[in-house]
PDB file of all heavy atoms in Angstrom:
ATOM      1  N   PRO I  17      14.908 -14.338 -46.998  1.00 98.00           N
ATOM      2  CA  PRO I  17      15.102 -12.884 -46.955  1.00 98.00           C
ATOM      3  C   PRO I  17      14.364 -12.149 -48.083  1.00 98.00           C
ATOM      4  O   PRO I  17      14.040 -10.974 -47.945  1.00 98.00           O
ATOM      5  CB  PRO I  17      16.617 -12.729 -47.076  1.00 98.00           C
ATOM      6  CG  PRO I  17      17.165 -13.991 -46.477  1.00 98.00           C
ATOM      7  CD  PRO I  17      16.188 -15.067 -46.906  1.00 98.00           C
ATOM      8  N   HIS I  18      14.068 -12.840 -49.158  1.00 98.00           N
ATOM      9  CA  HIS I  18      13.330 -12.221 -50.266  1.00 98.00           C
ATOM     10  C   HIS I  18      11.880 -11.904 -49.896  1.00 98.00           C
ATOM     11  O   HIS I  18      11.195 -11.185 -50.629  1.00 98.00           O
ATOM     12  CB  HIS I  18      13.361 -13.122 -51.502  1.00 98.00           C
ATOM     13  CG  HIS I  18      14.732 -13.357 -52.024  1.00 98.00           C
ATOM     14  ND1 HIS I  18      15.479 -12.378 -52.642  1.00 98.00           N
ATOM     15  CD2 HIS I  18      15.517 -14.457 -51.984  1.00 98.00           C
ATOM     16  CE1 HIS I  18      16.657 -12.859 -52.967  1.00 98.00           C
ATOM     17  NE2 HIS I  18      16.708 -14.128 -52.587  1.00 98.00           N
ATOM     18  N   ASP I  19      11.417 -12.413 -48.779  1.00 98.00           N
ATOM     19  CA  ASP I  19      10.046 -12.169 -48.321  1.00 98.00           C
ATOM     20  C   ASP I  19       9.927 -10.922 -47.448  1.00 98.00           C
ATOM     21  O   ASP I  19       8.859 -10.658 -46.897  1.00 98.00           O
ATOM     22  CB  ASP I  19       9.535 -13.384 -47.532  1.00 98.00           C
ATOM     23  CG  ASP I  19       9.453 -14.626 -48.395  1.00 98.00           C
ATOM     24  OD1 ASP I  19       8.909 -14.527 -49.512  1.00 98.00           O
ATOM     25  OD2 ASP I  19       9.948 -15.678 -47.956  1.00 98.00           O
ATOM     26  N   LEU I  20      10.990 -10.160 -47.334  1.00 98.00           N
ATOM     27  CA  LEU I  20      10.988  -9.029 -46.406  1.00 98.00           C
ATOM     28  C   LEU I  20       9.890  -8.018 -46.703  1.00 98.00           C
ATOM     29  O   LEU I  20       9.226  -7.555 -45.770  1.00 98.00           O
ATOM     30  CB  LEU I  20      12.352  -8.333 -46.393  1.00 98.00           C
ATOM     31  CG  LEU I  20      12.465  -7.141 -45.440  1.00 98.00           C
ATOM     32  CD1 LEU I  20      12.107  -7.535 -44.002  1.00 98.00           C
ATOM     33  CD2 LEU I  20      13.862  -6.537 -45.509  1.00 98.00           C
ATOM     34  N   ASP I  21       9.642  -7.672 -47.940  1.00 98.00           N
ATOM     35  CA  ASP I  21       8.593  -6.682 -48.230  1.00 98.00           C
ATOM     36  C   ASP I  21       7.235  -7.154 -47.713  1.00 98.00           C
ATOM     37  O   ASP I  21       6.510  -6.394 -47.061  1.00 98.00           O
ATOM     38  CB  ASP I  21       8.505  -6.372 -49.727  1.00 98.00           C
ATOM     39  CG  ASP I  21       9.679  -5.551 -50.228  1.00 98.00           C
ATOM     40  OD1 ASP I  21      10.401  -4.954 -49.411  1.00 98.00           O
ATOM     41  OD2 ASP I  21       9.875  -5.517 -51.463  1.00 98.00           O
ATOM     42  N   HIS I  22       6.900  -8.401 -47.984  1.00 98.00           N
ATOM     43  CA  HIS I  22       5.623  -8.946 -47.514  1.00 98.00           C
ATOM     44  C   HIS I  22       5.561  -9.002 -45.992  1.00 98.00           C
ATOM     45  O   HIS I  22       4.568  -8.598 -45.377  1.00 98.00           O
ATOM     46  CB  HIS I  22       5.382 -10.350 -48.067  1.00 98.00           C
ATOM     47  CG  HIS I  22       5.005 -10.386 -49.504  1.00 98.00           C
ATOM     48  ND1 HIS I  22       3.977  -9.655 -50.041  1.00 98.00           N
ATOM     49  CD2 HIS I  22       5.526 -11.094 -50.528  1.00 98.00           C
ATOM     50  CE1 HIS I  22       3.867  -9.895 -51.324  1.00 98.00           C
ATOM     51  NE2 HIS I  22       4.805 -10.764 -51.654  1.00 98.00           N
ATOM     52  N   MET I  23       6.621  -9.517 -45.389  1.00 98.00           N
ATOM     53  CA  MET I  23       6.616  -9.669 -43.929  1.00 98.00           C
ATOM     54  C   MET I  23       6.649  -8.322 -43.226  1.00 98.00           C
ATOM     55  O   MET I  23       5.998  -8.143 -42.192  1.00 98.00           O
ATOM     56  CB  MET I  23       7.773 -10.561 -43.480  1.00 98.00           C
ATOM     57  CG  MET I  23       7.607 -12.018 -43.873  1.00 98.00           C
ATOM     58  SD  MET I  23       6.063 -12.768 -43.293  1.00 98.00           S
ATOM     59  CE  MET I  23       6.269 -12.647 -41.520  1.00 98.00           C
ATOM     60  N   ALA I  24       7.362  -7.358 -43.777  1.00 98.00           N
ATOM     61  CA  ALA I  24       7.399  -6.024 -43.173  1.00 98.00           C
ATOM     62  C   ALA I  24       6.012  -5.383 -43.224  1.00 98.00           C
ATOM     63  O   ALA I  24       5.571  -4.773 -42.243  1.00 98.00           O
ATOM     64  CB  ALA I  24       8.433  -5.154 -43.872  1.00 98.00           C
ATOM     65  N   ALA I  25       5.319  -5.542 -44.338  1.00 98.00           N
ATOM     66  CA  ALA I  25       3.959  -4.987 -44.438  1.00 98.00           C
ATOM     67  C   ALA I  25       3.020  -5.682 -43.448  1.00 98.00           C
ATOM     68  O   ALA I  25       2.225  -5.026 -42.774  1.00 98.00           O
ATOM     69  CB  ALA I  25       3.444  -5.131 -45.869  1.00 98.00           C
ATOM     70  N   LEU I  26       3.123  -6.987 -43.341  1.00 98.00           N
ATOM     71  CA  LEU I  26       2.269  -7.753 -42.431  1.00 98.00           C
ATOM     72  C   LEU I  26       2.522  -7.355 -40.975  1.00 98.00           C
ATOM     73  O   LEU I  26       1.588  -7.028 -40.233  1.00 98.00           O
ATOM     74  CB  LEU I  26       2.533  -9.246 -42.605  1.00 98.00           C
ATOM     75  CG  LEU I  26       1.764 -10.197 -41.695  1.00 98.00           C
ATOM     76  CD1 LEU I  26       0.305 -10.275 -42.114  1.00 98.00           C
ATOM     77  CD2 LEU I  26       2.409 -11.580 -41.711  1.00 98.00           C
ATOM     78  N   LEU I  27       3.783  -7.389 -40.572  1.00 98.00           N
ATOM     79  CA  LEU I  27       4.122  -7.185 -39.171  1.00 98.00           C
ATOM     80  C   LEU I  27       4.088  -5.724 -38.742  1.00 98.00           C
ATOM     81  O   LEU I  27       4.142  -5.431 -37.544  1.00 98.00           O
ATOM     82  CB  LEU I  27       5.498  -7.797 -38.878  1.00 98.00           C
ATOM     83  CG  LEU I  27       5.596  -9.307 -39.096  1.00 98.00           C
ATOM     84  CD1 LEU I  27       7.022  -9.788 -38.893  1.00 98.00           C
ATOM     85  CD2 LEU I  27       4.631 -10.073 -38.212  1.00 98.00           C
ATOM     86  N   SER I  28       3.948  -4.806 -39.688  1.00 98.00           N
ATOM     87  CA  SER I  28       3.811  -3.392 -39.337  1.00 98.00           C
ATOM     88  C   SER I  28       2.351  -2.954 -39.277  1.00 98.00           C
ATOM     89  O   SER I  28       2.063  -1.814 -38.891  1.00 98.00           O
ATOM     90  CB  SER I  28       4.574  -2.510 -40.338  1.00 98.00           C
ATOM     91  OG  SER I  28       3.949  -2.539 -41.615  1.00 98.00           O
TER      92      SER I  28
END
Side-chain angles (χ1 to χ4, degrees):
H18 298 290
D19 297 313
L20 181 56
D21 288 344
H22 286 307
M23 290 304 297
L26 178 73
L27 298 175
S28 69

